[in-house]
């Protein structure tokens, strides 16, 4: 597949270089929209990374999901349908957002989506600035309209638009053409698990997974991880007789 495609074709296998980004690559990716003053794109990509969001969850963010930010946590509208029945919803005054319907490429407002509270591990000041930037809009990332952002009550940014925004800045940063917005989620979880003081259970809860075996699929070794363990399997030569 080529750069013209926003997403790889179904059944394709990503190269290892496209499965996750290093922290240096993420910084380079975020520097593009930040330096050019494209704040919506900068905040969107930052939210995907610092909160390990799926693209569907990112477009569903609302200002009321930030009500616990001062105590170091956020309310995240989970995109998984099965969580609707097996996860206890947060008792919160914020209205629950509907499920994403892939056939219509929009959120179905008739179905409640569970809100899960997660700790904020990094980018606290950036998230606070994002909330100020959003103001009193219904959605943190409203749909783009001619002449500026959408007004109060308009629709949120589409998932396809998130893919276009990511592709634009990934090309500017010179990243692998096979990377997608979901790569930032993999990158965040891989960075967490690589930290010596973070337990796998913490990563599981941050990723909003019901089973740690699912979290394992998001963990990738850094490119220099193999060099650090070089020689670990070398055998000690037997003593000479």
């Amino acid at each position: 597949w080529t750069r013209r495609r926003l997403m790889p074709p179904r059944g394709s296998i990503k190269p290892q270089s496209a499965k996750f980004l290093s922290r240096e690559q993420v910084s380079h990716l975020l520097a593009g929209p930040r330096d050019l003053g494209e704040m919506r794109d900068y905040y969107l990509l930052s939210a995907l990374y610092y909160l390990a969001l799926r693209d569907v969850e990112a477009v569903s963010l609302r200002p009321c999901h930030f009500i616990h930010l001062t105590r170091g946590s956020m309310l995240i509208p989970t995109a998984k349908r099965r969580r609707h029945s097996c996860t206890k919803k947060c008792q919160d005054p914020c209205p629950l957002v509907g499920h994403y319907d892939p056939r219509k490429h929009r959120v179905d407002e008739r179905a409640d989506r569970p809100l899960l509270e997660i700790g904020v591990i990094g980018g606290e000041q950036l998230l606070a600035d994002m909330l100020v930037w959003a103001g009193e809009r219904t959605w943190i990332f409203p749909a783009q309209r001619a002449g500026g952002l959408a007004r109060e009550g308009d629709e949120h940014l589409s998932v396809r638009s998130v893919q276009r925004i990511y592709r634009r800045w990934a090309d500017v940063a010179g990243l692998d053409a096979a990377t997608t917005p979901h790569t930032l989620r993999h990158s965040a979880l891989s960075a967490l698990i690589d930290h010596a003081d973070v337990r796998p259970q913490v990563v599981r809860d941050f990723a909003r997974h019901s089973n740690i075996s699912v979290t394992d699929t998001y963990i990738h070794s850094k490119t220099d991880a193999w060099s650090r363990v070089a020689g670990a399997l070398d055998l000690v030569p037997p003593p000479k007789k």
Side-chain angles (χ1 to χ4, degrees), residues 3-23:
R3 284 180 181 268
R4 295 181 179 179
R5 299 182 63 104
L6 296 176
M7 297 290 288
R10 181 173 298 180
S12 62
I13 300 177
K14 285 185 179 182
Q16 184 66 25
S17 60
K19 290 183 178 180
F20 76 108
L21 305 175
S22 66
R23 284 185 291 181

Side-chain angles (χ1 to χ4, degrees), residues 67-124:
I67 61 175
H68 299 319
L69 185 59
T70 54
R71 72 183 191 194
S73 63
M74 285 272 300
L75 296 176
I76 303 299
T78 179
K80 294 297 185 179
R81 289 181 179 271
R82 60 185 176 80
R83 288 297 185 94
H84 184 57
S85 59
C86 70
T87 303
K88 183 178 180 181
K89 301 181 183 66
C90 295
Q91 299 299 322
D92 195 89
C94 177
L96 298 181
V97 184
H99 286 296
Y100 174 70
D101 187 347
R103 295 171 297 179
K104 300 179 181 178
H105 294 284
R106 65 180 179 83
V107 169
D108 180 8
E109 301 290 351
R110 295 171 298 179
D112 288 339
R113 176 181 294 175
L115 292 175
L116 304 180
E117 186 173 0
I118 66 168
V120 176
I121 300 177
E124 293 88 344

Side-chain angles (χ1 to χ4, degrees), residues 6-7 40-41 44-45 48 55-56 58-59 100 105-106 141-145 149 155-169 180-181:
L6 296 176
M7 297 290 288
R40 182 202 61 177
D41 296 359
L44 173 62
L45 297 177
L48 289 171
D55 47 13
V56 179
V59 300
Y100 174 70
H105 294 284
R106 65 180 179 83
F141 303 112
Q144 187 74 42
R145 295 288 185 265
L149 295 175
E155 295 182 357
H156 57 66
L157 201 66
S158 68
V159 172
R160 184 60 60 89
S161 295
V162 174
Q163 297 166 1
R164 291 194 185 98
I165 291 170
Y166 175 85
R167 187 71 269 145
R168 172 192 175 189
W169 297 111
T180 67

Side-chain angles (χ1 to χ4, degrees), residues 120-133:
V120 176
I121 300 177
E124 293 88 344
Q125 185 58 51
L126 186 147
L127 293 172
D129 294 342
M130 183 192 307
L131 181 60
V132 174
W133 169 81

